[in-house]
PDB file of all heavy atoms in Angstrom:
ATOM      1  N   CYS A 324      -6.033   6.859 -10.866  1.00 96.00           N
ATOM      2  CA  CYS A 324      -5.422   7.881 -10.028  1.00 96.00           C
ATOM      3  C   CYS A 324      -6.481   8.870  -9.544  1.00 96.00           C
ATOM      4  O   CYS A 324      -7.269   9.379 -10.333  1.00 96.00           O
ATOM      5  CB  CYS A 324      -4.332   8.602 -10.803  1.00 96.00           C
ATOM      6  SG  CYS A 324      -3.642   9.981  -9.892  1.00 96.00           S
ATOM      7  N   GLY A 326      -5.829  11.704  -8.469  1.00 94.00           N
ATOM      8  CA  GLY A 326      -5.409  13.043  -8.833  1.00 94.00           C
ATOM      9  C   GLY A 326      -5.719  13.384 -10.275  1.00 94.00           C
ATOM     10  O   GLY A 326      -6.384  14.382 -10.552  1.00 94.00           O
ATOM     11  N   CYS A 327      -5.272  12.541 -11.205  1.00 96.00           N
ATOM     12  CA  CYS A 327      -5.400  12.885 -12.618  1.00 96.00           C
ATOM     13  C   CYS A 327      -6.369  11.966 -13.364  1.00 96.00           C
ATOM     14  O   CYS A 327      -6.689  12.213 -14.521  1.00 96.00           O
ATOM     15  CB  CYS A 327      -4.029  12.864 -13.291  1.00 96.00           C
ATOM     16  SG  CYS A 327      -3.249  11.229 -13.309  1.00 96.00           S
ATOM     17  N   GLY A 328      -6.831  10.895 -12.705  1.00 94.00           N
ATOM     18  CA  GLY A 328      -7.832  10.030 -13.322  1.00 94.00           C
ATOM     19  C   GLY A 328      -7.279   8.994 -14.289  1.00 94.00           C
ATOM     20  O   GLY A 328      -8.012   8.160 -14.801  1.00 94.00           O
ATOM     21  N   ARG A 329      -5.966   9.043 -14.525  1.00 95.00           N
ATOM     22  CA  ARG A 329      -5.390   8.052 -15.427  1.00 95.00           C
ATOM     23  C   ARG A 329      -5.165   6.723 -14.712  1.00 95.00           C
ATOM     24  O   ARG A 329      -5.181   6.674 -13.475  1.00 95.00           O
ATOM     25  CB  ARG A 329      -4.038   8.568 -15.967  1.00 95.00           C
ATOM     26  CG  ARG A 329      -4.228   9.542 -17.118  1.00 95.00           C
ATOM     27  CD  ARG A 329      -2.901   9.989 -17.635  1.00 95.00           C
ATOM     28  NE  ARG A 329      -2.145  10.725 -16.629  1.00 95.00           N
ATOM     29  CZ  ARG A 329      -1.126  11.530 -16.876  1.00 95.00           C
ATOM     30  NH1 ARG A 329      -0.719  11.701 -18.113  1.00 95.00           N
ATOM     31  NH2 ARG A 329      -0.504  12.151 -15.914  1.00 95.00           N
ATOM     32  N   ASP A 344      -3.036   7.007  -6.035  1.00 94.00           N
ATOM     33  CA  ASP A 344      -2.619   7.971  -7.047  1.00 94.00           C
ATOM     34  C   ASP A 344      -1.365   7.498  -7.741  1.00 94.00           C
ATOM     35  O   ASP A 344      -0.663   6.616  -7.272  1.00 94.00           O
ATOM     36  CB  ASP A 344      -2.418   9.374  -6.440  1.00 94.00           C
ATOM     37  CG  ASP A 344      -1.562   9.323  -5.168  1.00 94.00           C
ATOM     38  OD1 ASP A 344      -0.936   8.277  -4.921  1.00 94.00           O
ATOM     39  OD2 ASP A 344      -1.526  10.310  -4.457  1.00 94.00           O
ATOM     40  N   CYS A 345      -1.103   8.086  -8.910  1.00 95.00           N
ATOM     41  CA  CYS A 345       0.086   7.703  -9.666  1.00 95.00           C
ATOM     42  C   CYS A 345       1.316   8.400  -9.072  1.00 95.00           C
ATOM     43  O   CYS A 345       1.182   9.313  -8.244  1.00 95.00           O
ATOM     44  CB  CYS A 345      -0.071   8.042 -11.137  1.00 95.00           C
ATOM     45  SG  CYS A 345      -0.124   9.799 -11.488  1.00 95.00           S
ATOM     46  N   CYS A 348       1.366  12.269  -9.384  1.00 95.00           N
ATOM     47  CA  CYS A 348       0.456  12.981  -8.483  1.00 95.00           C
ATOM     48  C   CYS A 348       0.928  12.839  -7.049  1.00 95.00           C
ATOM     49  O   CYS A 348       0.802  13.775  -6.261  1.00 95.00           O
ATOM     50  CB  CYS A 348      -0.961  12.462  -8.638  1.00 95.00           C
ATOM     51  SG  CYS A 348      -1.680  12.870 -10.222  1.00 95.00           S
TER      52      CYS A 348
HETATM   53 ZN1  LIG B 245      -2.157  10.923 -11.315  1.00 91.66          ZN
END
Side-chain angles (χ1 to χ4, degrees):
C324 175
C327 63
R329 280 182 296 199
D344 48 13
C345 68
C348 291

